Amino acid sequence: MIKQGNYVNRPLPWVICASVFLNVLFIVYLVVQTNAINRLESVALEQSPISVEMTQKLTDIERAIGYVGFIHHFKNYVIRRDERYYQLALASYADAVKKVIEFESLTTNNELIVELEIIKRTLDEYRQNLLVAKSQPAEMSVEALDQIVKVDDDPASEALRTLQSSLLPKFEYIHDQTTLELKNLSHLTLLFNLIVAPIIIVVGYFVLSVMRKVHKLGCQLTSILDMSPDGILYISEQGSILQANKKACALLEYSETELKNLPLEQLVTSEYQAFCSHYREHVFNSDKPYAEYKPRRVKALTQSQREIELEIAIASQRVGDENRSVCIIRDMTYHNELKLKAEKDSLTQLLNRWMLDELLQKEIDRCTRSNQSLSLLLVDIDNFKTINDKLGHDMGDAILRETANFLQQSTRSYDHIGRWGGDEFILVCPNLSVKDAETYAHRLLRRYRKLKEISPHNISLSIGIATMSSETINQQTLFKKADVALYHAKNGGKNRFAHSDKLPTRNAQKTRYSRA
């Protein structure tokens, strides 16, 4: 794994240096190219439009004056003396004068303005002669009328040619400048490509190599996450899920897409939402660069609204400028099943001997601290061996289950009851004095004989009682006393109880095991 990391890290300085150099070249190229484009834009957008517009206006003037224009209509009126041509001539005159004025507004060249004045004077002279032609009698011949209204328009024609000639050099200049700038831009682009292309190829090779290695490591990381037996959630500081492995998706019955951007608190039951939010914020608000907290158990809801018990553990660390956390979720179903098997007797579902040892010691410690009493009841089924021998082990198992149910129903919520082994049961009863323990044992014996499942088989209980005192401060001593008391109850005729504190001195050291 270290070799892979080194392989990935070795090309990085070269890639960075090459990238910086490439970026500098690219910036220089952009600056030079931008300046060339600006110059081209100046020619194309500042000079060219004005020249094009002036050319267009000059064309409009020629059209307004010449064919289908003012002079055309003027001559048609002189020849035909038709009122329609007279009106067209007046309208064309006004349009021609307007075009001349518009052209004049586009230039500050005094020479061009003088030429425009010549054209305007010629137009005015034609218009004046149009009015003269209008005033002449209708019977006057065309030749006579033409002599009266004839206008010398050679100066105007020369002025138009002068205007055309003045525009031609501008177009040639624009064409030459545009060609030059485009040529420079083309050379610059070619030079840039020749210099940068090899660098791009080399850098591209290293980048692809690094990307391939990063992709491989990413795939390996994803595989590791997906192979995890626990669910893994990658969470943002706001509590949204950014990534989830396959186990988490299967456990919660969501796809990864559905889990993404889903708040973590939404996955737990309502009673755990506030705790989950506080737990996550507590992790993120830690001053440590890396914070990890012990697992906690919560109840979660799958997408199908099935409730499951989870153990969650959150670790937080800053990634860049943001806090990120990894939440490990573990399904406790199998663990609880194993715990149940480890703590409970499979036949009676009572606590087993190992669990009773642990609970008895805890109760002894607690009662010692609080100076409270504690009684231990050792219960044995009388004549149980006879049941097994005559009626079979199935009946014996049924008697054991009925006895377990009876004892469970007859104990307090804070008492502990378990199967000690064979046909023996043990009851750990906190806050039960000697007198109370005897009363309780007497009640158990009386009620047990009345059970309809028990009475036909002529079986009963024998109970040995030991109550904790200053001399019995450990479970071995307490259990030994209860065992002695049970031996005394058995020898006394069964279906009875005996308390270790009230035994005859001569029996104080005898136990059931000494009978064998």
Side-chain angles (χ1 to χ4, degrees):
M1 198 66 181
I2 296 176
K3 291 182 179 179
Q4 288 180 344
N6 291 338
Y7 184 85
V8 173
N9 291 330
R10 278 200 300 272
L12 286 180
W14 295 100
V15 173
I16 293 173
C17 293
S19 298
V20 171
F21 178 68
L22 188 62
N23 288 332
V24 171
L25 284 180
F26 190 65
I27 291 172
V28 172
Y29 167 74
L30 288 179
V31 171
V32 176
Q33 191 178 54
T34 300
N35 291 335
I37 292 174
N38 289 337
R39 291 193 299 271
L40 186 61
E41 184 180 26
S42 174
V43 174
L45 299 182
E46 295 180 10
Q47 301 180 33
S48 178
I50 296 176
S51 300
V52 170
E53 186 176 2
M54 291 178 69
T55 303
Q56 182 63 46
K57 293 296 182 184
L58 184 58
T59 303
D60 292 342
I61 291 172
E62 292 174 344
R63 187 182 297 110
I65 295 175
Y67 183 68
V68 304
F70 172 58
I71 297 177
H72 173 74
H73 296 311
F74 174 84
K75 291 183 178 181
N76 277 338
Y77 178 72
V78 171
I79 295 172
R80 297 177 176 81
R81 306 294 295 276
D82 187 339
E83 181 65 20
R84 184 169 62 90
Y85 287 110
Y86 176 76
Q87 295 298 331
L88 287 173
L90 289 178
S92 298
Y93 166 78
D95 184 54
V97 172
K98 178 183 177 183
K99 295 291 191 297
V100 172
I101 294 173
E102 290 176 353
F103 185 91
E104 188 176 7
S105 66
L106 297 175
T107 182
T108 57
N109 190 323
N110 291 330
E111 294 180 359
L112 298 182
I113 294 175
V114 170
E115 301 300 331
L116 291 172
E117 290 297 329
I118 293 174
I119 295 173
K120 283 196 290 184
R121 285 198 300 270
T122 302
L123 288 172
D124 292 339
E125 187 176 355
Y126 267 108
R127 183 178 183 280
Q128 186 64 34
N129 287 352
L130 180 64
L131 297 176
V132 172
K134 177 72 172 175
S135 63
Q136 299 304 314
E139 60 272 12
M140 180 179 290
S141 65
V142 174
E143 291 79 5
L145 182 59
D146 184 58
Q147 289 298 323
I148 294 173
V149 298
K150 185 177 181 181
V151 176
D152 182 12
D153 53 8
D154 288 339
S157 298
E158 184 62 31
L160 286 172
R161 284 193 291 271
T162 302
L163 291 173
Q164 292 173 345
S165 300
S166 67
L167 294 177
L168 183 60
K170 291 185 178 180
F171 279 105
E172 293 177 350
Y173 171 77
I174 292 171
H175 175 269
D176 293 341
Q177 286 294 108
T178 304
T179 302
L180 179 61
E181 294 298 337
L182 288 174
K183 186 177 180 181
N184 292 336
L185 190 60
S186 176
H187 289 165
L188 180 63
T189 303
L190 179 62
L191 181 62
F192 176 80
N193 291 337
L194 290 175
I195 295 176
V196 176
I199 299 177
I200 293 177
I201 294 173
V202 174
V203 172
Y205 170 77
F206 282 112
V207 170
L208 288 176
S209 177
V210 172
M211 288 179 62
R212 186 168 59 252
K213 291 300 177 182
V214 170
H215 175 71
K216 182 179 179 180
L217 292 176
C219 291
Q220 290 177 348
L221 177 60
T222 302
S223 299
I224 292 172
L225 293 178
D226 288 339
M227 286 188 294
S228 171
D230 296 325
I232 301 176
L233 301 176
Y234 187 52
I235 306 173
S236 69
E237 187 170 2
Q238 293 72 32
S240 297
I241 298 173
L242 303 177
Q243 189 174 353
N245 70 342
K246 289 183 179 180
K247 181 64 176 180
C249 295
L251 190 60
L252 299 170
E253 300 178 0
Y254 287 92
S255 67
E256 186 176 8
T257 304
E258 291 171 331
L259 280 176
K260 282 185 177 179
N261 298 317
L262 196 67
L264 181 63
E265 289 77 10
Q266 191 172 325
L267 298 174
V268 298
T269 56
S270 56
E271 65 266 27
Y272 285 97
Q273 288 179 354
F275 162 75
C276 196
S277 177
H278 174 74
Y279 183 45
R280 176 178 53 80
E281 291 175 359
H282 181 64
V283 172
F284 277 126
N285 292 333
S286 174
D287 296 331
K288 301 177 182 178
Y290 175 79
E292 182 178 1
Y293 292 86
K294 64 181 181 180
R296 303 294 178 89
R297 290 196 179 189
V298 298
K299 293 290 182 63
L301 286 175
T302 67
Q303 191 174 31
S304 62
Q305 297 303 302
R306 181 171 59 89
E307 187 175 297
I308 57 175
E309 185 178 7
L310 298 178
E311 183 181 74
I312 65 172
I314 297 181
S316 173
Q317 188 172 7
R318 291 198 65 83
V319 179
D321 297 331
E322 296 180 338
N323 276 326
R324 290 289 184 265
S325 69
V326 172
C327 179
I328 308 297
I329 58 175
R330 177 172 294 174
D331 184 7
M332 300 305 294
T333 304
Y334 182 65
H335 177 272
N336 291 338
E337 291 175 356
L338 293 178
K339 183 180 179 183
L340 183 63
K341 291 179 180 180
E343 295 178 354
K344 297 293 182 73
D345 174 63
S346 60
L347 178 63
T348 63
Q349 296 303 307
L350 298 179
L351 296 174
N352 59 24
R353 185 167 182 168
W354 175 82
M355 195 64 192
L356 277 172
D357 277 337
E358 184 177 340
L359 289 174
L360 177 59
Q361 187 60 52
K362 287 182 179 179
E363 290 294 344
I364 290 175
D365 294 340
R366 187 185 64 81
C367 291
T368 301
R369 290 193 303 269
S370 59
N371 195 27
Q372 294 177 339
S373 59
L374 181 144
S375 293
L376 180 69
L377 280 71
L378 199 56
V379 181
D380 185 87
I381 301 176
D382 299 327
N383 306 317
F384 182 75
K385 185 177 184 302
T386 303
I387 295 294
N388 272 337
D389 293 342
K390 292 183 178 181
L391 302 179
H393 289 283
D394 289 343
M395 179 57 70
D397 290 345
I399 295 296
L400 288 173
R401 284 192 291 268
E402 291 298 333
T403 303
N405 291 335
F406 164 75
L407 293 175
Q408 277 187 316
Q409 295 172 5
S410 303
T411 54
R412 301 167 298 180
S413 59
Y414 51 87
D415 291 337
H416 306 293
I417 177 173
R419 184 183 178 191
W420 195 249
D423 59 340
E424 298 172 341
F425 300 89
I426 189 167
L427 279 68
V428 180
C429 303
N431 305 326
L432 204 66
S433 63
V434 173
K435 181 179 180 181
D436 292 337
E438 290 180 335
T439 302
Y440 176 49
H442 180 73
R443 186 166 62 249
L444 288 176
L445 294 176
R446 186 179 69 254
R447 290 180 179 178
Y448 186 76
R449 290 289 289 177
K450 293 181 179 179
L451 290 178
K452 62 181 181 179
E453 295 85 357
I454 301 301
S455 54
H457 303 294
N458 192 31
I459 59 175
S460 58
L461 298 179
S462 293
I463 303 175
I465 309 171
T467 300
M468 190 175 70
S469 62
S470 58
E471 291 82 14
T472 55
I473 57 174
N474 60 68
Q475 61 178 354
Q476 289 82 7
T477 304
L478 193 65
F479 180 79
K480 183 177 180 181
K481 287 189 173 185
D483 187 59
V484 171
L486 179 60
Y487 168 77
H488 184 78
K490 285 280 189 181
N491 279 355
K494 302 179 182 178
N495 190 29
R496 64 186 60 210
F497 67 87
H499 198 290
S500 62
D501 290 355
K502 298 183 179 181
L503 295 180
T505 306
R506 61 187 178 85
N507 292 328
Q509 298 300 321
K510 293 182 179 181
T511 69
R512 290 172 295 154
Y513 306 107
S514 64
R515 288 178 291 166

